[in-house]
Amino acid sequence: MTVDQNKVCRLCQSNGVAPFLDLGSMPLANSFVPLNGACLKEPVYPLRLFFCPKCYLVQQLDFQSPRSIFADYPYYSSHSHSLLEQSRIFADTAINQFSLNRSSRVIEIASNDGYLLQYFQKAGIPCLGVEASPQIALEAERKKIPTLNRYFDFEIASELISNGGPADLLIANNVLAHVDDLNSFVRGLKELLAPEGVLTVEFQYLLRLIMRDEFDQIYHEHFSYFCLLTAERIFKKHGLRVFDAEELHAQGGSLRIYLCHDQNADRQATPQIDEFLSSERQFGLDQFKTYQDFDERVKAKRKTIVSALDEIKRKGQTLVGYGAPAKASTFLNYCGVDRGTIPFTADINPYKQGRAMPGSQIPIRHPDAIREAMPDYVLIFPWNIQEEIMTQLAYIREWDGHFIVAIPSFRIL
């Protein structure tokens, strides 16, 4: 195992992390460019992963500026109907399971546009969102969801306690990966959680990412990639204990963990904790060879994808994309796909329409453009919600159109 002594693990602060997957240099995944080509020379940054042999954290260390990412962040959670339904179910379950009422307080970190907190608010439970992106926080405020436009850390946690008290339910969904200073962030969660409160954290599950070769889930906005082995370690370091966990289908495979203060004896650990930890060790998430093997499989997958797309082009068949998520940016840039292969992609998010994908500069249009173009194939970039998209675009069957999903395996549907 070759290590880089110049890089420091963002979790345990040790030198000697080992590089494995190098996806090349590319723009930030959500740095959309104008259609007029005014930004032909886009800034690019190395995108490669490192493994820490001491704490097992998988991370990227070449880009260190989260504020430049979230100053103009274009992801609005409410555009996903499936996510809204999952959020409604989670809120209903949490209210019953943790006996939340009008005297409780729910706080969500990285609350986006209020997609989740709206269900707690409808139930009459006081809630507050903390959102780093100015325009997304404003959208939540328009929905009457109280939202603080700040980057969360230990200092912000202290301010929130002074202005309203601690959280009985503290939620941090799909934000841990975006954090550069993990220790300050988790210290803040510990500070903000009420003595008998519950913290729920969701993150993309590293086990599934590696197992399914989901290389498109890797981009600069994700500083770290977690399994329970690493997550349990950092939370334990700051006095928080994982007492339950469950795997979700969201984001191509996510893990939701439930935590409480160490001294909270009322929350007993479930058998699932040991089951997850055992599965992760058995798969080899604590062994560098697992990541070396992943590296080789990703390289082979790239060749398969490029060959299949070239064959479609060679036959004179037409192909467009659907969606402009961050994963599409990594996919397009790593595979070297440009407008010559995919003339445009369509996205329901009006913020993205009229712009172009970073790097590849493929235009982003309204979904109606697909009906107008009548392509032979539609490549679904947000493959984690492919069923929802295939239902929305079922009309392509009218001209014998087909869907393509390239991750986790290349399939024509």
Side-chain angles (χ1 to χ4, degrees):
M1 178 175 62
T2 302
V3 298
D4 188 337
Q5 295 291 347
N6 296 318
K7 300 291 185 181
V8 178
C9 174
R10 66 176 71 253
L11 176 54
C12 69
Q13 307 300 306
S14 64
N15 292 324
V17 292
F20 59 99
L21 180 67
D22 189 343
L23 297 177
S25 293
M26 59 183 72
L28 299 181
N30 286 300
S31 59
F32 301 101
V33 299
L35 278 179
N36 61 14
C39 186
L40 292 177
K41 291 186 178 180
E42 303 170 59
V44 297
Y45 311 90
L47 183 57
R48 56 179 177 161
L49 294 184
F50 296 83
F51 170 75
C52 178
K54 292 186 178 179
C55 70
Y56 314 138
L57 181 66
V58 171
Q59 57 205 290
Q60 64 92 4
L61 295 166
D62 294 305
F63 185 79
Q64 303 283 347
S65 180
R67 290 182 182 273
S68 64
I69 294 173
F70 298 108
D72 187 26
Y73 194 61
Y75 181 75
Y76 292 79
S77 296
S78 291
H79 287 142
S80 172
H81 299 299
S82 58
L83 180 58
L84 288 176
E85 178 60 14
Q86 293 164 15
S87 300
R88 183 191 64 78
I89 294 172
F90 170 79
D92 289 345
T93 302
I95 290 169
N96 292 324
Q97 184 176 359
F98 306 126
S99 303
L100 302 176
N101 53 47
R102 294 179 183 273
S103 63
S104 305
R105 192 185 195 201
V106 175
I107 299 178
E108 182 181 12
I109 311 303
S111 53
N112 205 267
D113 58 3
Y115 74 104
L116 172 58
L117 289 181
Q118 63 180 323
Y119 299 108
F120 290 99
Q121 189 178 67
K122 288 177 182 177
I125 299 171
C127 58
L128 173 70
V130 182
E131 171 56 46
S133 172
Q135 75 269 21
I136 296 179
L138 183 60
E139 180 64 23
E141 288 283 357
R142 290 194 186 103
K143 298 176 181 178
K144 309 300 182 183
I145 307 294
T147 304
L148 177 66
N149 177 213
R150 298 284 294 275
Y151 292 86
F152 181 79
D153 56 17
F154 181 76
E155 292 183 4
I156 297 302
S158 299
E159 290 182 23
L160 292 174
I161 292 175
S162 299
N163 298 307
D168 299 289
L169 175 62
L170 183 56
I171 305 167
N173 289 346
N174 301 308
V175 62
L176 199 61
H178 295 280
V179 175
D180 58 337
D181 189 344
L182 286 169
N183 289 296
S184 177
F185 185 87
V186 175
R187 278 180 64 215
L189 296 177
K190 164 74 173 178
E191 178 77 4
L192 187 54
L193 186 64
E196 303 302 318
V198 171
L199 164 65
T200 68
V201 179
E202 290 180 23
F203 47 81
Q204 181 186 75
Y205 195 18
L206 178 64
L207 177 64
R208 299 304 168 201
L209 186 153
I210 300 296
M211 183 181 292
R212 299 171 182 166
D213 305 329
E214 298 170 357
F215 69 86
D216 62 337
Q217 301 269 38
I218 299 164
Y219 34 91
H220 296 102
E221 288 89 333
H222 281 179
F223 295 113
S224 307
Y225 300 81
F226 294 94
C227 57
L228 188 56
L229 279 168
T230 51
E232 185 182 55
R233 184 182 298 249
I234 184 173
F235 286 108
K236 182 178 181 180
K237 176 181 177 180
H238 294 284
L240 293 167
R241 177 171 56 83
V242 180
F243 67 85
D244 199 4
E246 61 181 321
E247 191 169 358
L248 310 172
H249 293 297
Q251 304 298 322
S254 297
L255 194 66
R256 176 187 293 155
I257 59 177
Y258 297 80
L259 305 102
C260 62
H261 290 288
D262 269 344
Q263 62 271 27
N264 186 346
D266 293 335
R267 304 289 179 185
Q268 297 298 314
T270 66
Q272 282 81 1
I273 302 300
D274 286 338
E275 291 172 7
F276 277 113
L277 292 173
S278 177
S279 296
E280 292 172 2
R281 290 193 178 94
Q282 184 176 3
F283 186 76
L285 291 184
D286 55 350
Q287 302 295 322
F288 184 58
K289 186 179 185 305
T290 300
Y291 303 99
Q292 290 178 304
D293 293 343
F294 170 69
D295 188 337
E296 294 303 317
R297 294 196 306 272
V298 168
K299 291 174 182 175
K301 179 163 288 188
R302 179 184 184 276
K303 291 180 180 179
T304 298
I305 292 170
V306 171
S307 176
L309 297 183
D310 285 347
E311 179 67 9
I312 289 173
K313 187 177 179 180
R314 187 190 67 79
K315 290 181 178 180
Q317 297 173 311
T318 53
L319 169 68
V320 303
Y322 185 88
K327 58 171 64 73
S329 180
T330 297
F331 177 93
L332 293 168
N333 286 298
Y334 179 59
C335 294
V337 179
D338 58 21
R339 288 174 291 184
T341 301
I342 299 179
F344 71 88
T345 189
D347 198 284
I348 197 171
N349 186 344
Y351 178 87
K352 298 179 181 180
Q353 295 165 12
R355 301 189 182 193
M357 294 295 298
S360 66
Q361 298 199 354
I362 292 173
I364 305 168
R365 299 180 181 173
H366 188 280
D368 288 348
I370 294 178
R371 184 182 289 276
E372 296 171 5
M374 298 178 64
D376 295 304
Y377 298 98
V378 175
L379 174 56
I380 300 175
F381 290 118
W383 47 265
N384 51 300
I385 54 171
Q386 62 182 273
E387 297 300 330
E388 177 182 333
I389 292 169
M390 289 173 64
T391 299
Q392 293 173 359
L393 304 183
Y395 58 79
I396 73 168
R397 304 299 190 187
E398 296 173 6
W399 59 81
D400 198 29
H402 295 275
F403 296 101
I404 293 176
V405 175
I407 307 292
S409 59
F410 193 93
R411 292 172 293 149
I412 296 177
L413 305 171

